[in-house]
């Protein structure tokens, strides 16, 4: 019922770390809480004189629902009140950012609208004849871990591309009662169910199978 924009990718470890440091966070375990941050593709990246270990392009995970909400509240505070440098930083993380923009977790309806190919209810024509493994990281091809975002065939809606809507990590959404759900399946979920998967997960426990992307609403 209101216009919105959605991130093309999941929130990555690099984005989470950058924004948390911009918020003033200095505790390493909060700057990057992700489970999958060591091993192949892992890097030590210096951000504002803080060395952060991460797989920069992998989804941020092992974050509770309440930590996501806290992050979003602080992000919106920065959006409303941040100085020019902060606004410039936010425009790097969120292309097209304007001061005062409002960021949220997607509602179930918003997420489903995008996942159904912009309301076409067919997950976009480019998925019709594809094996799920062509556009999603699932139990069959994930090697029991997350993968860098935007590596699989995207879901296309007009000229926009949305990556990892299915698989890699579950995505938190909000239902009409303000409670959280998860959608889209994850790296440990079987591909035969991954396209329509949704359900509930405990809000105050960290899962290495759950991440998120944001929607933006212009004030």
């Amino acid at each position: 019922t209101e216009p919105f924009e959605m991130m093309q990718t999941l929130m990555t470890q690099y984005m989470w770390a950058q924004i948390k440091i911009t918020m003033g966070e200095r505790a390493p375990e909060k700057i990057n809480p992700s489970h999958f941050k060591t091993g192949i593709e892992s890097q030590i990246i210096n951000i504002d004189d803080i060395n952060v270990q991460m797989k920069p392009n992998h989804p941020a995970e092992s974050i509770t629902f309440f930590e996501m909400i806290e992050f979003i509240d602080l992000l919106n505070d920065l959006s409303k009140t941040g100085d020019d440098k902060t606004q410039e930083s936010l425009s790097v993380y969120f292309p097209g950012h304007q001061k005062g923009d409002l960021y949220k977790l997607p509602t179930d309806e918003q997420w489903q609208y995008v996942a159904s190919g912009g309301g076409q209810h067919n997950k976009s024509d480019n998925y019709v004849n594809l094996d799920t493994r062509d556009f999603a990281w699932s139990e069959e091809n994930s090697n029991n871990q997350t993968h860098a975002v935007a590596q699989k065939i995207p879901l296309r809606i007009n000229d926009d591309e949305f990556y990892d809507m299915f698989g890699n990590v579950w995505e938190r959404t909000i239902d009409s009662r303000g409670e959280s759900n998860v959608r889209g399946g994850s790296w440990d979920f079987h591909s035969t169910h991954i396209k329509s998967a949704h359900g509930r997960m405990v809000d105050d426990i960290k899962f290495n199978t759950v991440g998120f992307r944001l929607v933006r609403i212009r004030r």
Side-chain angles (χ1 to χ4, degrees), residues 15-174:
M15 291 178 65
W16 173 274
Q18 286 269 16
I19 296 169
K20 288 293 282 187
I21 289 174
T22 299
M23 292 172 176
E25 184 61 66
R26 292 298 180 266
E29 68 277 8
K30 293 184 178 180
I31 291 173
N32 186 16
S34 297
H35 174 77
F36 295 108
K37 60 187 175 186
T38 60
I40 298 173
E41 297 181 61
S42 179
Q43 302 178 38
I44 303 294
I45 296 180
N46 186 279
I47 305 173
D48 289 353
D49 295 326
I50 301 174
N51 289 327
V52 185
Q53 184 169 19
M54 66 176 77
K55 292 184 177 182
N57 295 318
H58 283 232
E61 30 81 7
S62 299
I63 302 164
T64 71
F65 170 68
F66 300 119
E67 288 171 333
M68 292 178 189
I69 295 302
E70 179 185 43
F71 174 89
I72 293 168
D73 287 344
L74 290 172
L75 173 60
N76 285 322
D77 286 344
L78 288 178
S79 178
K80 288 186 293 185
T81 63
D83 58 18
D84 289 344
K85 181 179 179 181
T86 298
Q87 299 301 328
E88 184 178 347
S89 296
L90 292 179
S91 69
V92 173
Y93 314 141
F94 306 107
H97 169 79
Q98 297 176 18
K99 188 171 184 177
D101 281 347
L102 183 65
Y103 296 90
K104 298 180 176 181
L105 288 176
T107 65
D108 286 340
E109 292 80 8
Q110 289 169 334
W111 192 94
Q112 186 60 37
Y113 180 81
V114 175
S116 64
Q120 299 173 35
H121 306 294
N122 61 6
K123 297 181 180 62
S124 182
D125 291 342
N126 63 301
Y127 281 178
V128 171
N129 297 316
L130 295 179
D131 186 291
T132 303
R133 290 169 291 186
D134 293 331
F135 57 85
W137 295 107
S138 64
E139 183 183 57
E140 288 87 343
N141 62 356
S142 70
N143 196 28
N144 296 317
Q145 60 186 326
T146 61
H147 289 263
V149 302
Q151 300 300 301
K152 293 291 187 180
I153 295 172
L155 185 149
R156 294 185 176 89
I157 304 175
N158 298 321
D159 295 327
D160 297 316
E161 296 179 337
F162 299 89
Y163 295 88
D164 301 290
M165 291 294 294
F166 308 102
N168 215 349
V169 290
W170 295 92
E171 301 184 32
R172 291 277 188 184
T173 60
I174 301 292

Side-chain angles (χ1 to χ4, degrees), residues 190-208:
H190 198 278
S191 64
T192 55
H193 305 292
I194 209 165
K195 288 182 284 188
S196 59
H198 65 280
R200 291 276 297 150
M201 281 188 175
V202 180
D203 290 342
D204 59 354
I205 294 178
K206 299 174 183 289
F207 295 97
N208 60 22

